[in-house]
Amino acid sequence: MIADNLQTIRTLITDTAHNCGRDPSTIKLVAVSKHHPAASIMEAMAAGQNIFGENYIQEAADKCHTIGKGAAFHFIGHLQSNKAKLAAELFTMIETIDRYKLAKALHSHLEKIDKTLDILIQVNIGRDQKKSGILPEEAKDLLKQIASLSRLRPKGLMTMPPFTADQTKTRSYFKALRLLALELGAENLFYNNESIELSMGMSDDFPMAIEEGATLIRIGTAIFGKRPLNSSQT
Ligand SMILES: *Cc1c(COP(=O)(O)O)cnc(C)c1O
């Protein structure tokens, strides 16, 4: 089932990209495996998937340990500074940087283990009180502060827009994130300002996110099915 779901999504990514004049190879699929067992991740790996998204540090650590090498993990949950050490070790990208204190804590652990780490700034593009991330107008100052942390490579922006049934609204949030990224890129605030990563779009809205410029889409349910009920969802 996981292999079939991945195939369906890959086809949709390719078709959507072609229809809006984008190169499908510029869009990476992050398979969100939170609350799903290591066995499901390995099933996806056998079907060619190699980037996974996790929201909880300890859960991710356990699964990484079971799986061993061969997969890259992105952290997409809320990160507490006191978990920075484990996060610095486990992940190839942390998509949810929203404060300097956290960036600094990560940086000091990265220095100790001699590693550099790709990060994204999480932006609360819809000013939703229930969502984490910094406000759009705060992104510039945070990126300026982070520029002094040489072990962190700010590659772009990530967002999770407020839930709404109104597709026009969702599209306007995706568009706003891209425009913000362009504005910040014009001031050379990213690691590579010619190619800025935009992590946006989930199971229900990823084709629209691709049309609006997403380079990373984070898909859970459409790949792995519903998350187990006994676990809190983020
Ligand atoms: C859970 C989660 C996703 C995946 O959501 P689905 O609707 O299952 O595709 C994407 N991004 C973040 C930040 C998440 O927490």
Side-chain angles (χ1 to χ4, degrees), residues 32 34 55 76 158 160 202-203 218-222 227 234:
V32 177
K34 63 170 176 243
N55 295 57
I76 61 170
M158 176 271 204
M160 211 163 150
M202 313 197 296
S203 290
R218 311 178 308 266
I219 302 181
T221 311
R227 286 178 278 279
T234 308

Side-chain angles (χ1 to χ4, degrees), residues 139-181:
K140 189 203 263 189
D141 281 347
L142 181 58
L143 279 164
K144 280 185 177 164
Q145 286 181 299
I146 285 175
S148 65
L149 305 175
S150 58
R151 298 279 171 165
L152 296 177
R153 294 198 287 227
K155 292 287 191 81
L157 305 178
M158 176 271 204
T159 199
M160 211 163 150
F163 176 79
T164 163
D166 182 352
Q167 301 251 310
T168 320
K169 265 208 171 129
T170 306
R171 186 182 290 279
S172 73
Y173 292 132
F174 292 154
K175 196 168 283 182
L177 193 76
R178 184 169 58 85
L179 292 177
L180 178 62

Side-chain angles (χ1 to χ4, degrees), residues 9 12 21 59 71 99 105 107 112 122 128 130 134 139 148 202 207 216 223 228 231:
I9 289 164
L12 192 49
E59 183 188 325
R99 58 205 190 279
H107 185 262
K112 282 178 208 150
Q122 182 177 8
D128 181 347
K130 293 189 294 273
I134 56 165
S148 65
M202 313 197 296
L216 289 159
I223 296 172
S231 47

Side-chain angles (χ1 to χ4, degrees), residues 30-36 53-56 75-78 95-96 122 158-160 199 201-206 217-227 233-234:
V30 178
V32 177
S33 44
K34 63 170 176 243
H35 300 324
H36 290 285
E54 289 281 344
N55 295 57
Y56 304 96
F75 189 74
I76 61 170
H78 178 71
E95 299 199 8
T96 49
Q122 182 177 8
M158 176 271 204
T159 199
M160 211 163 150
S199 177
M202 313 197 296
S203 290
D204 290 333
D205 53 21
F206 72 88
I217 51 175
R218 311 178 308 266
I219 302 181
T221 311
I223 296 172
F224 296 108
K226 270 212 165 94
R227 286 178 278 279
Q233 299 204 355
T234 308

